[in-house]
Amino acid sequence: MAARAARMAPALTTDLASADRRESAKSEMRARILATADRLFYHQGIRAVGVDTVADEVGISKRTLYNYFPSKEALVAAYLEGRASALPPSDLPPVEQVLGSFDRLERYFESQGFRGCPFVNAIAELSDAGAEINKIAIDFKEGRRLWYRDLLVRLGVADPDGLATQLRLLIEGAIATALVSRNAKVARSAGEAARALLAGAGVQLPVSAGAAKSKRKR
Amino acid sequence: MAARAARMAPALTTDLASADRRESAKSEMRARILATADRLFYHQGIRAVGVDTVADEVGISKRTLYNYFPSKEALVAAYLEGRASALPPSDLPPVEQVLGSFDRLERYFESQGFRGCPFVNAIAELSDAGAEINKIAIDFKEGRRLWYRDLLVRLGVADPDGLATQLRLLIEGAIATALVSRNAKVARSAGEAARALLAGAGVQLPVSAGAAKSKRKR
DNA sequence: TTAAAACTACACAGGTCTGTGTAATGGCCG
DNA sequence: CGGCCATTACACAGACCTGTGTAGTTTTAA
């Protein structure tokens, strides 16, 4: 107890207490492992990447990796959790936020490492995925749907839930199609469809840059 | 030579020539293997099912299986080929064929063994899938898109290619969403969105059964 | 009946995987 | 300094995988 009290007041400049430093090092290492696992799992697939490979890429021993994650399944769950980060808030008008989410798709599909939706892939790969992994995937999808829903509410749409679901279907469909056909152009089809659905729901769309000639879709 | 000539004229009732019988037995066995592989690969995943398991389920030895398919990859390719069967022609009006494809989705999602799109799953599972498998998947998706396109042409839609792509996105999105969230109701959202897009393209929609009260989507 | 073809069981090579056991090493902290 | 903790290298168990080799058995066909 006395020793503990003494440890509470080391008072040495800006140094962290040793316990805190250890915590910080641990959390840094955890982040490094997660970053590597994310890269490997997403690009090559979960079943295709063994824990040995992850450890090697991080530059640590497998034993140490198992010191941070009790099993591969836990590592996979953490990987998916990391992919489920919430969208940052934006000051843009709601309609621009919605359309922007579609406009960003094309570059996403064109980006080097694009390999579809990590959650869909995980469910497809792990037919017997644990309940935790399923929950993470469902929560992510629902979170994205609610993000649309809230924006649509602000736009005064009559059925924000239904339209949000439909916009999500377009996103999911575009991701799946881009994965299979490797054609980033489907992003534009999704955007056009989203605009049509929004217009049909009475949302006033902003005049897009160079909209005069955009008749063709494909 | 004389023996061979005699073999050419056995003339016994309706019996097939022996060579034909052998061919037929071979093709039956091939079909049995394929049916079993289809069931196991689709429900449990390609990587999760070994060649031994397929052979055991068919009731043959692994050696025999390798007599019909030179490698697992060939078996997987045949499995996907079998999933890529063309849609049967229909006499229904084009608009009903299009809407029917969406109406059938919900029961498809509810069916016991539903586990998403076999092609998307295969690409997701086999990150290093061979060119053949990729081609099969792409051809399938494009075939489905052209099926819509032809119907839309008959409906006089201005941009049948673009709208066909959009309808496909809704289907793909619904499949992916149903796989993850296990909520067959997304099929209705997809159908509603399809109707909205068709209406927006000037297609006259038939009055659906009990359409008077169908205001709610979600 | 006889010969060839197909199929069987079984073992095996060579590789992968997850997870653990062990003993030695290095660094940090009191 | 002395103890503790993290980490390392390495081996290993036990399981799975794909594909092949072998030798014996059944089926089929002339």
Side-chain angles (χ1 to χ4, degrees):
Chain A
M1 288 295 179
R4 179 180 176 80
R7 191 160 64 77
M8 292 297 276
L12 237 170
T13 70
T14 64
D15 274 8
L16 284 74
S18 67
D20 287 352
R21 243 190 313 191
R22 257 186 20 211
E23 284 296 306
S24 158
K26 275 216 136 187
S27 119
E28 265 178 44
M29 176 68 92
R30 211 187 122 95
R32 275 179 57 202
I33 296 172
L34 265 185
T36 303
D38 180 282
R39 175 167 53 86
L40 295 174
F41 284 159
Y42 180 65
H43 292 291
Q44 300 180 223
I46 293 169
R47 292 190 90 120
V49 173
V51 285
D52 295 82
T53 306
V54 177
D56 283 358
E57 287 278 313
V58 179
I60 62 178
S61 70
K62 181 167 61 165
R63 215 67 177 75
T64 299
L65 192 152
Y66 273 100
N67 212 332
Y68 286 84
F69 297 92
S71 67
K72 181 177 180 179
E73 189 173 352
L75 182 57
V76 171
Y79 148 61
L80 291 176
E81 288 272 18
R83 285 268 169 173
S85 60
L87 293 172
S90 164
D91 289 341
L92 292 176
V95 63
E96 292 191 20
Q97 289 191 51
V98 171
L99 295 179
S101 71
F102 283 88
D103 291 341
R104 277 190 298 272
L105 272 185
E106 188 168 354
R107 269 196 291 181
Y108 172 42
F109 295 163
E110 281 169 342
S111 66
Q112 194 48 43
F114 171 73
R115 242 188 59 80
C117 168
F119 303 97
V120 172
N121 292 359
I123 303 289
E125 273 195 271
L126 316 170
S127 61
D128 57 347
E132 186 185 0
I133 287 176
N134 280 299
K135 179 173 165 30
I136 294 169
I138 292 176
D139 287 353
F140 170 80
K141 302 292 185 194
E142 179 65 3
R144 288 294 200 261
R145 196 186 71 82
L146 291 178
W147 184 81
Y148 281 123
R149 196 198 73 121
D150 288 352
L151 294 172
L152 295 174
V153 166
R154 287 166 60 188
L155 287 172
V157 167
D159 180 11
D161 270 304
L163 187 50
T165 299
Q166 295 175 353
L167 294 179
R168 281 293 305 157
L169 291 187
L170 289 172
I171 298 276
E172 293 288 337
I175 293 174
T177 303
L179 170 67
V180 171
S181 70
R182 302 198 181 282
N183 172 16
K185 289 294 194 304
V186 293
R188 298 194 197 180
S189 293
E192 301 267 359
R195 283 176 166 79
L197 292 178
L198 287 167
V203 175
Q204 195 75 18
L205 299 178
V207 281
S208 64
K213 294 187 60 179
S214 78
K215 271 265 178 78
R216 217 134 279 185
K217 299 174 190 178
R218 210 271 145 133
Chain B
M1 289 298 171
R4 180 180 176 80
R7 189 162 67 76
M8 292 300 274
L12 237 172
T13 69
T14 64
D15 274 7
L16 285 74
S18 68
D20 287 353
R21 243 191 312 191
R22 257 189 16 211
E23 282 298 306
S24 159
K26 274 218 137 191
S27 116
E28 264 179 45
M29 176 68 93
R30 211 187 122 93
R32 276 179 58 203
I33 295 172
L34 265 185
T36 303
D38 180 282
R39 176 167 52 85
L40 295 174
F41 285 160
Y42 180 66
H43 292 292
Q44 299 178 224
I46 293 168
R47 292 189 89 119
V49 173
V51 182
D52 297 83
T53 306
V54 177
D56 283 357
E57 288 277 314
V58 179
I60 61 177
S61 70
K62 182 167 61 166
R63 215 66 177 79
T64 300
L65 192 153
Y66 272 101
N67 211 333
Y68 285 84
F69 296 92
S71 67
K72 180 178 180 179
E73 190 173 352
L75 182 57
V76 171
Y79 148 61
L80 291 177
E81 288 272 16
R83 285 267 169 175
S85 59
L87 294 172
S90 165
D91 289 340
L92 291 176
V95 64
E96 291 191 21
Q97 289 192 51
V98 171
L99 295 179
S101 72
F102 283 87
D103 291 342
R104 277 190 297 273
L105 272 185
E106 188 169 355
R107 270 195 290 184
Y108 172 42
F109 295 163
E110 280 169 342
S111 65
Q112 194 49 42
F114 171 73
R115 241 186 62 77
C117 168
F119 303 97
V120 172
N121 292 359
I123 303 289
E125 274 195 271
L126 315 170
S127 61
D128 56 348
E132 186 184 0
I133 287 175
N134 279 299
K135 177 172 166 32
I136 294 169
I138 292 176
D139 287 352
F140 170 81
K141 303 291 185 194
E142 179 65 3
R144 289 293 199 262
R145 195 186 72 83
L146 292 178
W147 184 81
Y148 280 123
R149 196 198 74 119
D150 289 351
L151 293 171
L152 295 174
V153 166
R154 288 166 59 189
L155 287 171
V157 167
D159 179 13
D161 270 303
L163 187 50
T165 300
Q166 294 175 354
L167 294 179
R168 281 293 305 157
L169 291 186
L170 289 172
I171 298 277
E172 292 290 335
I175 293 175
T177 304
L179 170 66
V180 171
S181 70
R182 304 201 176 281
N183 172 16
K185 289 294 195 305
V186 294
R188 299 195 196 179
S189 292
E192 301 266 0
R195 284 175 164 80
L197 292 178
L198 287 167
V203 175
Q204 196 74 17
L205 298 178
V207 280
S208 64
K213 292 188 59 179
S214 77
K215 272 266 180 75
R216 216 134 280 183
K217 303 173 189 177
R218 209 265 144 133

